[in-house]
Amino acid sequence: MGANTSQVTDLSENTSLKALVGTESISENDPFWNQLISFTFISPTNSGDSKLLEEAVVPLAKTLIQNNPRTGNFGALVRVFLGRTKELKISTECQDQLFIWQAHNALFMIRCLVKVFIREMSEEELLQQFSFQERAPGSCGEAGSEDLLEELLLNLVHLTVEVPLLDITYSILFEAVTTLLIFFSYQLFHKDILRDGLIYQHIMKGRCLELTSRLVKTLLYNFIRQEKCPPPAAHIFEPKAEGGLLYGLASGVASGLWSVFTLGGAGSRAGIDQDNNLLPLSNQSLLLLLVLANLTDGPDWPNPFRQAITCFRNTQDTSSLPVEPPHTFQINFNSLYTALCEQQRSDQATLLLYTLLHQNANMRTYILSRTDMDNLVLPILEILYHVEDRNSHHVYMALIILLILTEDDAFNRSIHEVVLKNISWYTERSLTEISLGSLLILVVIRTIQFNMTRTRDKYLHTNCLAALANMSAQFRSLHQYAAQRIISLFALLSKKHNKVLEQATQSLRGRQGDNTALPDYAQDLNVIEEVIRMMLEIINSCLCNSLHHNPNLVYALLYKRELFEQFRSHPSFQDIMQNLDTVIGFFSQRLEQAGSDLSVERVQEVIMKGAQALPKDRLKKFPELKFKYVEEDQPEDFFIPYVWSLVFNSGVGLHWNPHGIELFSMDSG
């Protein structure tokens, strides 16, 4: 690390770089550019290496900012890159590594410089850096600069969608996606949500618009393929000794700037493993997709990327629509589903799953039709189970996904038919065999209990209870531990209710004759009573709709029957308690008739027979419990800072704290 630092400090003295950022204009046809972009390195793919590089680039970029309006050297570099990419697709087909190598190097330099530009200047000032014309005082000359900026953006999109993903093209595709992401990073430097801007307009309108569906499809396939970064030999061009000056390295550049990249750990497997970023292109493509999908609509145009994500269809769907939605395309749903199942450990994959479930009806229908739903649900449950190790927003997304899934009755029935064995990550109790439905109940209840003792977030409570309520009418063959936990949660709520009630009573006695406002005990009591009411409705829904399928819940109810006595006369619970009293009274009488000192097996036998004999008309009917997730319940522009917090913490490309947009804290809890 020390050696790297000492080399980095020498970068400002590098002859070639001083020429690039200096005061002399360099023609785009000058042999200088061939020397500058003929270097061998591996792009940084982890946080530490990227920060080293960025610290080295800053002083150079600042010097270029001062001199470039007069020299146009940055514009020349951009044109050199554009020239190298005109035949890039053909070069890929011909395995012309030299062409790809030089185009990649030029783009890498552009990406590093643009990142500093965006940090240091406004979008209008950035536009001026793309000017290659020497302007007289008082003139603006922005037409040419705007054309060059749009040409670069369009070229990056073309490169992303047209160049096939191979070992030799992996790095340049990664650079193209990362550079696009950096162009949108102006949002990081503004507290308000950006709703318009030149870069937005170029991407969402004009010549880029027709590539919308292809870009979304390509980014999705990059995520689906999960291609690992190839070994260095596969995508690094090694110059031949007889290649002459064109293929050689300028010695000053080699010993100065570019040697940093190979020594900084960017090519080290250990460095990448430590950052858990073996899939940089897949991860970066997903981040760009989420950024594009969450761009706000323009003043007079909708976000085309959101339109594309909303309407794409399965490749196996051969039906034709009367009117094709804008920017629609087809993709292999099976491959996408598999990738989603495998990648839920990351925030961004969970956010993509949420986006598709919530916004794409075709994908939602497909997911709900799968017979291997456990492959998707189990990773979501594991996120919730390790709630203390996850950031709160990842937990929210996981809960919302469950809520959306439980809106479907077929899902609620099917999860009780999937039998799981030996869930290794569930450590509180050995579960040798349990249904997916019972495990879901256990994990959601555990999340509620964690929230009650730690975060005390009402929104999280609401989502958990709503998911349980949606499932309650289809509870089937509940595992005895799941049934116990339902009643145990009610016992915990009852205990909390009594404690708050006692505090409120004592406070009221101490304030006799005092007309000042009471503390928040009344509000706390109201909240806890709402939760208790919801739990009673969940239990009641199961008893009314599937009592004969759930003897373990009846058993747990009878075992803890004293918990419910205090709520019989409570005005908030009297109506719902009638059914519970009916069930408790009916089965208590059956057990008394069966005799005393009954074994557990005998009690269960009596319950199972009694469940068949209990007349359904003895239980009062209540409205069906159904809750739908509504995105409007989220704070305004919730997802934009959330997405950028994922980008900011991804470890690639963007590391400076911009003191702009208020990013979500990524600390656990």
Side-chain angles (χ1 to χ4, degrees):
M1 197 71 172
N4 291 335
T5 304
S6 62
Q7 287 182 333
V8 166
T9 57
D10 296 335
L11 294 182
S12 59
E13 302 303 317
N14 182 274
T15 303
S16 297
L17 293 177
K18 287 174 70 174
L20 171 67
V21 304
T23 57
E24 297 296 323
S25 179
I26 305 173
S27 167
E28 61 193 77
N29 298 316
D30 195 297
F32 166 84
W33 298 107
N34 278 329
Q35 287 189 330
L36 186 66
I37 64 176
S38 296
F39 53 82
T40 299
F41 75 99
I42 302 171
S43 301
T45 55
N46 62 65
S47 179
D49 297 330
S50 295
K51 288 181 180 179
L52 259 181
L53 168 64
E54 289 162 1
E55 290 169 1
V57 170
V58 169
L60 296 167
K62 287 186 175 181
T63 302
L64 183 61
I65 289 172
Q66 294 177 352
N67 295 328
N68 183 63
R70 293 181 297 277
T71 66
N73 286 347
F74 178 71
L77 175 61
V78 172
R79 292 185 180 279
V80 168
F81 166 69
L82 295 177
R84 292 296 190 279
T85 58
K86 286 179 180 178
E87 305 296 332
L88 196 57
K89 189 175 182 181
I90 297 176
S91 300
T92 302
E93 294 171 354
C94 300
Q95 297 285 303
D96 186 349
Q97 295 188 43
L98 172 63
F99 224 77
I100 300 169
W101 172 57
Q102 290 189 324
H104 166 270
N105 292 351
L107 180 55
F108 183 81
M109 294 180 68
I110 292 169
R111 187 252 281 191
C112 293
L113 293 170
V114 167
K115 182 181 180 299
V116 184
F117 290 173
I118 288 176
R119 178 197 181 193
E120 296 293 327
M121 63 184 67
S122 68
E123 194 173 18
E124 292 73 19
E125 293 170 326
L126 173 70
L127 186 61
Q128 295 177 8
Q129 295 296 326
F130 280 84
S131 174
F132 63 96
Q133 299 170 339
E134 186 173 352
R135 299 192 301 272
S139 65
C140 60
E142 288 189 0
S145 60
E146 183 172 339
D147 291 343
L148 186 58
L149 173 60
E150 183 178 18
E151 192 68 31
L152 176 59
L153 292 170
L154 180 64
N155 189 280
L156 292 173
V157 175
H158 268 294
L159 195 161
T160 302
V161 302
E162 291 182 353
V163 175
L165 176 54
L166 306 170
D167 280 357
I168 60 172
T169 61
Y170 191 101
S171 291
I172 193 169
L173 290 173
F174 172 80
E175 286 302 328
V177 171
T178 303
T179 306
L180 283 170
L181 195 56
I182 285 175
F183 268 113
F184 285 103
S185 65
Y186 266 113
Q187 180 62 82
L188 284 169
F189 301 88
H190 292 79
K191 292 183 178 180
D192 297 327
I193 302 301
L194 297 181
R195 303 183 185 279
D196 197 0
L198 189 61
I199 294 171
Y200 276 38
Q201 292 186 48
H202 283 324
I203 290 292
M204 298 208 285
K205 298 172 68 177
R207 291 187 289 166
C208 288
L209 182 62
E210 64 182 20
L211 295 171
T212 295
S213 59
R214 292 181 64 191
L215 180 57
V216 171
K217 184 176 182 177
T218 300
L219 295 175
L220 279 173
Y221 267 127
N222 287 348
F223 167 71
I224 289 170
R225 291 181 64 174
Q226 298 292 311
E227 291 284 349
K228 292 184 178 180
C229 187
H235 63 297
I236 296 301
F237 180 82
E238 296 295 348
K240 299 178 181 178
E242 66 274 13
L245 290 176
L246 178 62
Y247 301 97
L249 294 172
S251 59
V253 177
S255 62
L257 175 61
W258 306 123
S259 59
V260 172
F261 303 133
T262 50
L263 296 175
S268 165
R269 267 301 171 232
I272 297 176
D273 288 339
Q274 289 173 2
D275 280 61
N276 293 318
N277 200 0
L278 289 168
L279 307 167
L281 178 60
S282 173
N283 184 62
Q284 208 79 329
S285 295
L286 179 51
L287 290 171
L288 177 59
L289 179 64
L290 293 172
V291 167
L292 293 172
N294 286 281
L295 294 177
T296 54
D297 295 335
D300 56 356
W301 68 84
N303 180 348
F305 300 100
R306 189 180 300 123
Q307 290 179 318
I309 285 177
T310 299
C311 65
F312 70 79
R313 298 192 293 161
N314 194 354
T315 50
Q316 297 180 354
D317 184 358
T318 58
S319 62
S320 59
L321 300 175
V323 179
E324 285 287 338
H327 311 296
T328 188
F329 62 92
Q330 290 186 302
I331 199 168
N332 188 308
F333 277 16
N334 181 62
S335 300
L336 180 55
Y337 177 80
T338 301
L340 287 168
C341 292
E342 293 174 349
Q343 298 299 316
Q344 286 308 301
R345 64 184 177 274
S346 73
D347 280 77
Q348 46 265 40
T350 303
L351 182 54
L352 176 63
L353 175 58
Y354 157 78
T355 302
L356 296 178
L357 275 173
H358 180 57
Q359 298 185 11
N360 190 308
N362 301 319
M363 192 67 194
R364 180 170 61 251
T365 300
Y366 176 83
I367 290 175
L368 290 169
S369 70
R370 296 283 303 203
T371 57
D372 59 346
M373 185 63 75
D374 52 308
N375 289 336
L376 184 69
V377 176
L378 279 174
I380 298 297
L381 295 183
E382 192 171 356
I383 293 170
L384 295 177
Y385 186 78
H386 295 110
V387 58
E388 63 274 7
D389 300 324
R390 302 286 181 176
N391 71 75
S392 59
H393 309 292
H394 199 182
V395 173
Y396 277 147
M397 289 297 102
L399 277 175
I400 292 170
I401 287 168
L402 287 184
L403 179 56
I404 293 172
L405 292 173
T406 59
E407 292 172 13
D408 184 75
D409 286 342
F411 169 84
N412 295 330
R413 288 190 295 269
S414 66
I415 56 175
H416 292 287
E417 298 170 0
V418 178
V419 178
L420 308 169
K421 295 186 178 181
N422 300 317
I423 308 300
S424 58
W425 48 263
Y426 194 96
T427 58
E428 291 178 50
R429 176 166 171 162
S430 177
L431 300 175
T432 56
E433 187 172 289
I434 189 173
S435 71
L436 179 60
S438 290
L439 180 64
L440 194 157
I441 293 168
L442 285 174
V443 173
V444 171
I445 288 176
R446 184 180 184 275
T447 306
I448 294 174
Q449 291 178 324
F450 176 85
N451 186 51
M452 288 176 64
T453 57
R454 302 282 188 89
T455 56
R456 299 182 181 181
D457 189 316
K458 183 179 178 181
Y459 184 73
L460 189 145
H461 259 358
T462 301
N463 279 324
C464 288
L465 292 170
L468 290 177
N470 285 346
M471 295 169 57
S472 59
Q474 279 82 35
F475 284 171
R476 294 290 188 276
S477 303
L478 289 182
H479 191 280
Q480 62 179 16
Y481 186 51
Q484 291 171 13
R485 299 306 293 165
I486 291 174
I487 304 304
S488 295
L489 176 58
F490 186 84
L492 182 63
L493 293 168
S494 176
K495 182 178 180 180
K496 187 174 182 63
H497 177 269
N498 292 339
K499 181 179 179 180
V500 174
L501 184 61
E502 181 180 352
Q503 290 173 336
T505 303
Q506 290 177 353
S507 177
L508 188 61
R509 288 173 180 168
R511 287 172 171 266
Q512 289 182 356
D514 187 351
N515 294 325
T516 59
L518 285 171
D520 292 333
Y521 292 128
Q523 184 178 350
D524 291 345
L525 196 62
N526 183 58
V527 170
I528 194 68
E529 287 183 355
E530 287 180 3
V531 176
I532 288 175
R533 170 78 190 192
M534 180 70 80
M535 282 302 302
L536 288 173
E537 289 180 344
I538 290 169
I539 296 171
N540 177 71
S541 175
C542 176
L543 297 178
C544 290
N545 292 282
S546 55
L547 183 146
H548 57 292
H549 289 298
N550 294 291
N552 285 329
L553 182 61
V554 177
Y555 184 96
L557 193 65
L558 293 172
Y559 189 73
K560 293 287 187 178
R561 71 188 80 176
E562 72 280 356
L563 287 173
F564 302 91
E565 292 179 358
Q566 61 177 307
F567 299 107
R568 284 176 181 156
S569 58
H570 195 292
S572 298
F573 312 122
Q574 278 181 328
D575 58 338
I576 203 81
M577 280 301 302
Q578 291 178 14
N579 281 350
L580 271 69
D581 280 341
T582 298
V583 172
I584 291 172
F586 177 82
F587 284 98
S588 296
Q589 185 179 11
R590 286 260 172 169
L591 291 174
E592 290 175 4
Q593 292 173 353
S596 58
D597 298 327
L598 300 176
S599 65
V600 173
E601 292 76 13
R602 176 58 180 151
V603 171
Q604 289 177 331
E605 181 184 344
V606 172
I607 290 173
M608 293 180 70
K609 289 183 178 180
Q612 303 296 328
L614 177 63
K616 292 184 178 180
D617 57 6
R618 289 185 60 180
L619 299 180
K620 179 183 176 182
K621 289 293 182 182
F622 285 83
E624 182 182 11
L625 289 178
K626 272 298 171 188
F627 294 87
K628 288 182 68 69
Y629 168 70
V630 180
E631 190 172 75
E632 285 71 22
D633 292 342
Q634 297 282 6
E636 184 181 6
D637 296 321
F638 172 91
F639 292 99
I640 294 174
Y642 179 37
V643 169
W644 278 107
S645 70
L646 300 181
V647 175
F648 187 74
N649 289 276
S650 66
V652 180
L654 295 158
H655 296 97
W656 289 308
N657 184 355
H659 303 295
I661 188 173
E662 184 177 350
L663 297 175
F664 285 128
S665 169
M666 302 309 286
D667 296 331
S668 60

